[in-house]
Amino acid sequence: MSGPRYLTKSRFKLGMDCPTKLFYTKKKEYLDSKMDDSFLKALAEGGYQVGELAKCYHPGGHDIATLDYDEAERQTNELLKNDRVIIYEPAIRFENLFIRIDVLVKNGTHLDLIEVKAKSYDDELENPFLNKNGTIQSGWLPYLQDIAFQKYVLSKAFPKMKIDSYLMMADKNSKCQIDGLNQKFRIVRDETNRTGIKVSTGLTADDLKGQVLIKVPVDDFIDLIFKDGSFKEQISCLASAYENDKKIVAPIGGHCKSCEFQCSKENQTKGYKSGFQECWKQALDWMDSDFDAPNVLEVWSYSRKDQMIAEGRVKLADLSVDDFEPDTDGKLGISAKERRWLQVEKVQKDDSTPFIDTEGLKAEMDKWKFPLHFIDFETTMVAIPFNKGRSPYEAIAFQFSHHIVNEDGRVEHVGEYLNTNVGEFPNYDFVRELKRQLGGDVGTIFRYSPHENTFLNHIYRQLREDEVDIADRDELCDFIKSITTSSSSASENWEGERNMVDLWYMVKRYYYDPYTRGSNSIKQVLPAVLNSSEFLKEKYSKPIYGAKDGIKSLNFKDWQWLETKNGEVVDPYKKLPKLFKDVSDKNFELLSEDDELASGGAALTAYGRMQFSEMSAMERKELSNGLLRYCELDTLAMVMIYEAWREWVK
Ligand code: SF4
């Protein structure tokens, strides 16, 4: 171990998440599966520029750029000798606690501690931080604990100063007053691979008028956190454990599913350790072989994981039907409870065959009208608006893909849309093109997850509220209403006559393949159907995709989707050329990870890269081509699921 072992902001956050993690963090032998590319992270999370914008709203400050603890502290203390000063990233230390504050404003004996968060804040809500019973909302707690920790360190380091604390966040209700504000904050990676923001030399005071960030006083909420007394104890317990490299043994539970200190068998044979397995072995008295058996962490959307783990009934073999109460819910297909038990039962019976509710699914399919349309959107939400009149975290839809299946079974990739033009708000053109492509018939439209419906609702609201003259505003709104259902927050209620069918919902109600190990993400369901469906194996193991007289494609030629390795289908996504050449496989996989409701991390990162970083025309072209191929596969995956089902139910 080298260097001082201080409890910093990020270590405090990690320790609050799970104190055991502090023991594993940054040790070479323990693999950490979290993203370790700050540039990609900045692009994927979209809010990195907010910190730099916050500095611009506090002009005249001094930046402490060094990463050296002692030097940063020395420079800070030197600056704090001034009666009035603004410091960006000052280093404050008290004993074994060390923080870098985003913005610190000193005015005599008064300090303003400003923590910048790339998070949307709605100041029109009454008590946005609190529950009805006066406690802090769980969604806000980590943010408020973070600033409470900083206030604690600052007050200990400067006990005579009066401190006011603020969270500075994106103001949901603000409207940007200029075009191109976002493009004035470019994300860059320097020679040492450090990520930073390059602020345009053309940024003027006028550009900063009509702030899109809001400074919210939070001392009352910090007082609430300190009120029960245990918070300070927690800080000192975490700091002491980290300083002395002592493991705090925390209870294992359902939260361990997302623990970053998991490590594959392959990596363990290379000498790496799994923090996750250490915790679980210790808590359950398990051996290596126990990890081979499916366990309760895999059960889909199961709220009793903690209870089962606490009772020591961790493997699926240990669970019984009474743990699931698999009742129907009166709707067509299987209920969530039935589905969970089905997953466990299949493991217990060593049954790897897919379940399909043939009758129920057939009844659904009989309602579908040809040609069938399969669409998928790629979207993002950027913290700093591109255009005048737009708000922070405005929904942006920049890409879609569109496949159809004709009544005679012919599959065609008939359309797509991609707009990565720098600083352009693409949404209205996006909808215009969608309308043009879907408007020629009344065939059923499919989406996978509520995402497409949600974004069309956003665009509907944008169209309705936009003060700019839009000639086809009503037509576009009517079209959106015809293929969607209104979201719960909408002021109008509707259900379109051609409301999209959610294939994800169909999966959950009528189909379960043990190969997915409980995940309904399309990235898991696609390889599952490919492995189970003889029809798909036969059809897609030939180079027919994009071939003359084969399946029409806009981005592939003579492509063979299906290949097998060791008797299993190779994931078709793995066959695609890499979207980013300079990104490690690990980081790309993390970006592409698809939980069931959010998808497209890789696509929105690529979009961010084209918007906020410097790229050559050639790089842009290559990245656009990659985006088109990935999105085409997203809708083809939906087509394949449909084709497998069609063959099974006929
Ligand atoms: S496995 Fe669980 S208890 Fe162990 S470090 Fe990870 S989250 Fe914490």
Side-chain angles (χ1 to χ4, degrees), residues 17-22 24 247-262 274-280:
D17 186 25
C18 170
T20 315
K21 290 182 181 179
L22 278 182
Y24 302 134
K247 190 194 272 190
I248 300 175
V249 178
I252 61 166
H255 60 281
C256 297
K257 184 173 167 66
S258 56
C259 181
E260 59 269 46
F261 296 104
Q262 305 197 36
S274 162
F276 169 85
Q277 291 203 1
E278 274 188 26
C279 291
W280 279 52

